[in-house]
PDB file of all heavy atoms in Angstrom:
ATOM      1  N   VAL A  42      -1.717  24.053  14.797  1.00 62.00           N
ATOM      2  CA  VAL A  42      -1.090  24.039  13.477  1.00 62.00           C
ATOM      3  C   VAL A  42      -2.146  24.438  12.463  1.00 62.00           C
ATOM      4  O   VAL A  42      -3.169  23.772  12.334  1.00 62.00           O
ATOM      5  CB  VAL A  42      -0.523  22.641  13.127  1.00 62.00           C
ATOM      6  CG1 VAL A  42       0.070  22.647  11.725  1.00 62.00           C
ATOM      7  CG2 VAL A  42       0.512  22.214  14.157  1.00 62.00           C
ATOM      8  N   ARG A  43      -1.937  25.535  11.754  1.00 63.00           N
ATOM      9  CA  ARG A  43      -2.899  26.003  10.769  1.00 63.00           C
ATOM     10  C   ARG A  43      -2.573  25.381   9.408  1.00 63.00           C
ATOM     11  O   ARG A  43      -1.437  25.439   8.955  1.00 63.00           O
ATOM     12  CB  ARG A  43      -2.880  27.531  10.674  1.00 63.00           C
ATOM     13  CG  ARG A  43      -3.219  28.190  11.995  1.00 63.00           C
ATOM     14  CD  ARG A  43      -3.468  29.676  11.849  1.00 63.00           C
ATOM     15  NE  ARG A  43      -3.755  30.280  13.145  1.00 63.00           N
ATOM     16  CZ  ARG A  43      -4.952  30.250  13.742  1.00 63.00           C
ATOM     17  NH1 ARG A  43      -5.961  29.663  13.117  1.00 63.00           N
ATOM     18  NH2 ARG A  43      -5.120  30.808  14.919  1.00 63.00           N
ATOM     19  N   VAL A  44      -3.586  24.777   8.795  1.00 60.00           N
ATOM     20  CA  VAL A  44      -3.366  24.066   7.542  1.00 60.00           C
ATOM     21  C   VAL A  44      -4.395  24.481   6.502  1.00 60.00           C
ATOM     22  O   VAL A  44      -5.438  25.043   6.818  1.00 60.00           O
ATOM     23  CB  VAL A  44      -3.463  22.534   7.752  1.00 60.00           C
ATOM     24  CG1 VAL A  44      -2.398  22.053   8.713  1.00 60.00           C
ATOM     25  CG2 VAL A  44      -4.849  22.126   8.240  1.00 60.00           C
ATOM     26  N   THR A  45      -4.052  24.221   5.243  1.00 59.00           N
ATOM     27  CA  THR A  45      -4.984  24.399   4.133  1.00 59.00           C
ATOM     28  C   THR A  45      -5.616  23.048   3.862  1.00 59.00           C
ATOM     29  O   THR A  45      -4.975  22.157   3.319  1.00 59.00           O
ATOM     30  CB  THR A  45      -4.252  24.888   2.873  1.00 59.00           C
ATOM     31  OG1 THR A  45      -3.591  26.105   3.172  1.00 59.00           O
ATOM     32  CG2 THR A  45      -5.230  25.108   1.728  1.00 59.00           C
ATOM     33  N   ALA A  46      -6.870  22.871   4.274  1.00 55.00           N
ATOM     34  CA  ALA A  46      -7.482  21.551   4.178  1.00 55.00           C
ATOM     35  C   ALA A  46      -8.824  21.586   3.458  1.00 55.00           C
ATOM     36  O   ALA A  46      -9.624  20.688   3.579  1.00 55.00           O
ATOM     37  CB  ALA A  46      -7.649  20.961   5.573  1.00 55.00           C
ATOM     38  N   ALA A  47      -9.064  22.637   2.709  1.00 55.00           N
ATOM     39  CA  ALA A  47     -10.336  22.746   2.007  1.00 55.00           C
ATOM     40  C   ALA A  47     -10.377  21.766   0.836  1.00 55.00           C
ATOM     41  O   ALA A  47      -9.361  21.420   0.243  1.00 55.00           O
ATOM     42  CB  ALA A  47     -10.529  24.168   1.501  1.00 55.00           C
ATOM     43  N   GLY A  48     -11.576  21.322   0.506  1.00 57.00           N
ATOM     44  CA  GLY A  48     -11.744  20.464  -0.659  1.00 57.00           C
ATOM     45  C   GLY A  48     -11.447  19.008  -0.354  1.00 57.00           C
ATOM     46  O   GLY A  48     -11.277  18.600   0.788  1.00 57.00           O
ATOM     47  N   THR A  49     -11.385  18.199  -1.411  1.00 65.00           N
ATOM     48  CA  THR A  49     -11.208  16.758  -1.262  1.00 65.00           C
ATOM     49  C   THR A  49      -9.906  16.269  -1.891  1.00 65.00           C
ATOM     50  O   THR A  49      -9.783  15.086  -2.204  1.00 65.00           O
ATOM     51  CB  THR A  49     -12.394  16.019  -1.903  1.00 65.00           C
ATOM     52  OG1 THR A  49     -12.473  16.402  -3.299  1.00 65.00           O
ATOM     53  CG2 THR A  49     -13.700  16.373  -1.221  1.00 65.00           C
ATOM     54  N   LYS A  50      -8.957  17.155  -2.086  1.00 78.00           N
ATOM     55  CA  LYS A  50      -7.687  16.739  -2.679  1.00 78.00           C
ATOM     56  C   LYS A  50      -6.964  15.778  -1.745  1.00 78.00           C
ATOM     57  O   LYS A  50      -6.917  15.983  -0.541  1.00 78.00           O
ATOM     58  CB  LYS A  50      -6.799  17.961  -2.940  1.00 78.00           C
ATOM     59  CG  LYS A  50      -7.367  18.942  -3.957  1.00 78.00           C
ATOM     60  CD  LYS A  50      -6.451  20.121  -4.146  1.00 78.00           C
ATOM     61  CE  LYS A  50      -7.013  21.105  -5.163  1.00 78.00           C
ATOM     62  NZ  LYS A  50      -6.119  22.272  -5.353  1.00 78.00           N
ATOM     63  N   ARG A  51      -6.386  14.712  -2.338  1.00 82.00           N
ATOM     64  CA  ARG A  51      -5.680  13.739  -1.529  1.00 82.00           C
ATOM     65  C   ARG A  51      -4.703  12.948  -2.385  1.00 82.00           C
ATOM     66  O   ARG A  51      -4.807  12.919  -3.610  1.00 82.00           O
ATOM     67  CB  ARG A  51      -6.655  12.789  -0.816  1.00 82.00           C
ATOM     68  CG  ARG A  51      -7.517  11.998  -1.755  1.00 82.00           C
ATOM     69  CD  ARG A  51      -8.652  11.277  -1.028  1.00 82.00           C
ATOM     70  NE  ARG A  51      -8.235  10.111  -0.277  1.00 82.00           N
ATOM     71  CZ  ARG A  51      -8.234  10.026   1.042  1.00 82.00           C
ATOM     72  NH1 ARG A  51      -8.589  11.063   1.783  1.00 82.00           N
ATOM     73  NH2 ARG A  51      -7.862   8.922   1.649  1.00 82.00           N
ATOM     74  N   VAL A  52      -3.762  12.335  -1.707  1.00 88.00           N
ATOM     75  CA  VAL A  52      -2.810  11.435  -2.350  1.00 88.00           C
ATOM     76  C   VAL A  52      -3.251  10.007  -2.038  1.00 88.00           C
ATOM     77  O   VAL A  52      -3.383   9.636  -0.871  1.00 88.00           O
ATOM     78  CB  VAL A  52      -1.378  11.666  -1.835  1.00 88.00           C
ATOM     79  CG1 VAL A  52      -0.423  10.633  -2.432  1.00 88.00           C
ATOM     80  CG2 VAL A  52      -0.910  13.062  -2.181  1.00 88.00           C
ATOM     81  N   SER A  53      -3.493   9.222  -3.074  1.00 91.00           N
ATOM     82  CA  SER A  53      -3.818   7.809  -2.894  1.00 91.00           C
ATOM     83  C   SER A  53      -2.529   7.010  -3.037  1.00 91.00           C
ATOM     84  O   SER A  53      -1.708   7.278  -3.918  1.00 91.00           O
ATOM     85  CB  SER A  53      -4.842   7.348  -3.934  1.00 91.00           C
ATOM     86  OG  SER A  53      -6.076   8.001  -3.731  1.00 91.00           O
ATOM     87  N   MET A  54      -2.350   6.013  -2.170  1.00 94.00           N
ATOM     88  CA  MET A  54      -1.135   5.199  -2.159  1.00 94.00           C
ATOM     89  C   MET A  54      -1.516   3.729  -2.216  1.00 94.00           C
ATOM     90  O   MET A  54      -2.457   3.306  -1.549  1.00 94.00           O
ATOM     91  CB  MET A  54      -0.341   5.456  -0.872  1.00 94.00           C
ATOM     92  CG  MET A  54      -0.032   6.922  -0.600  1.00 94.00           C
ATOM     93  SD  MET A  54       0.582   7.190   1.102  1.00 94.00           S
ATOM     94  CE  MET A  54      -0.962   7.186   2.040  1.00 94.00           C
ATOM     95  N   ALA A  55      -0.801   2.958  -3.008  1.00 96.00           N
ATOM     96  CA  ALA A  55      -0.944   1.500  -3.027  1.00 96.00           C
ATOM     97  C   ALA A  55       0.448   0.917  -2.873  1.00 96.00           C
ATOM     98  O   ALA A  55       1.399   1.405  -3.484  1.00 96.00           O
ATOM     99  CB  ALA A  55      -1.585   1.025  -4.332  1.00 96.00           C
ATOM    100  N   ALA A  56       0.569  -0.110  -2.046  1.00 96.00           N
ATOM    101  CA  ALA A  56       1.901  -0.664  -1.781  1.00 96.00           C
ATOM    102  C   ALA A  56       1.857  -2.170  -1.629  1.00 96.00           C
ATOM    103  O   ALA A  56       0.831  -2.753  -1.261  1.00 96.00           O
ATOM    104  CB  ALA A  56       2.498  -0.032  -0.526  1.00 96.00           C
ATOM    105  N   LEU A  57       2.993  -2.785  -1.916  1.00 97.00           N
ATOM    106  CA  LEU A  57       3.206  -4.220  -1.740  1.00 97.00           C
ATOM    107  C   LEU A  57       4.366  -4.433  -0.784  1.00 97.00           C
ATOM    108  O   LEU A  57       5.416  -3.795  -0.925  1.00 97.00           O
ATOM    109  CB  LEU A  57       3.561  -4.884  -3.072  1.00 97.00           C
ATOM    110  CG  LEU A  57       2.522  -4.883  -4.195  1.00 97.00           C
ATOM    111  CD1 LEU A  57       3.215  -5.177  -5.525  1.00 97.00           C
ATOM    112  CD2 LEU A  57       1.444  -5.912  -3.927  1.00 97.00           C
ATOM    113  N   ILE A  58       4.182  -5.294   0.206  1.00 95.00           N
ATOM    114  CA  ILE A  58       5.301  -5.813   0.978  1.00 95.00           C
ATOM    115  C   ILE A  58       5.569  -7.210   0.449  1.00 95.00           C
ATOM    116  O   ILE A  58       4.681  -8.063   0.428  1.00 95.00           O
ATOM    117  CB  ILE A  58       4.989  -5.853   2.484  1.00 95.00           C
ATOM    118  CG1 ILE A  58       5.146  -4.457   3.088  1.00 95.00           C
ATOM    119  CG2 ILE A  58       5.906  -6.831   3.207  1.00 95.00           C
ATOM    120  CD1 ILE A  58       4.951  -4.406   4.579  1.00 95.00           C
ATOM    121  N   CYS A  59       6.797  -7.442  -0.016  1.00 94.00           N
ATOM    122  CA  CYS A  59       7.142  -8.692  -0.699  1.00 94.00           C
ATOM    123  C   CYS A  59       8.251  -9.410   0.071  1.00 94.00           C
ATOM    124  O   CYS A  59       9.289  -8.814   0.372  1.00 94.00           O
ATOM    125  CB  CYS A  59       7.608  -8.406  -2.125  1.00 94.00           C
ATOM    126  SG  CYS A  59       6.435  -7.416  -3.082  1.00 94.00           S
ATOM    127  N   THR A  60       8.012 -10.682   0.391  1.00 91.00           N
ATOM    128  CA  THR A  60       8.988 -11.460   1.138  1.00 91.00           C
ATOM    129  C   THR A  60       9.249 -12.788   0.438  1.00 91.00           C
ATOM    130  O   THR A  60       8.365 -13.352  -0.214  1.00 91.00           O
ATOM    131  CB  THR A  60       8.499 -11.743   2.573  1.00 91.00           C
ATOM    132  OG1 THR A  60       7.291 -12.523   2.523  1.00 91.00           O
ATOM    133  CG2 THR A  60       8.218 -10.455   3.324  1.00 91.00           C
ATOM    134  N   LYS A  61      10.478 -13.269   0.599  1.00 91.00           N
ATOM    135  CA  LYS A  61      10.859 -14.573   0.061  1.00 91.00           C
ATOM    136  C   LYS A  61      12.074 -15.062   0.835  1.00 91.00           C
ATOM    137  O   LYS A  61      13.008 -14.291   1.086  1.00 91.00           O
ATOM    138  CB  LYS A  61      11.190 -14.478  -1.436  1.00 91.00           C
ATOM    139  CG  LYS A  61      11.491 -15.820  -2.092  1.00 91.00           C
ATOM    140  CD  LYS A  61      11.761 -15.653  -3.591  1.00 91.00           C
ATOM    141  CE  LYS A  61      12.055 -16.991  -4.246  1.00 91.00           C
ATOM    142  NZ  LYS A  61      12.323 -16.858  -5.712  1.00 91.00           N
TER     143      LYS A  61
END
Side-chain angles (χ1 to χ4, degrees):
V42 178
R43 300 191 182 279
V44 298
T45 302
T49 58
K50 296 179 180 180
R51 60 191 285 111
V52 175
S53 294
M54 307 167 280
L57 296 162
I58 281 184
C59 306
T60 62
K61 185 178 180 180

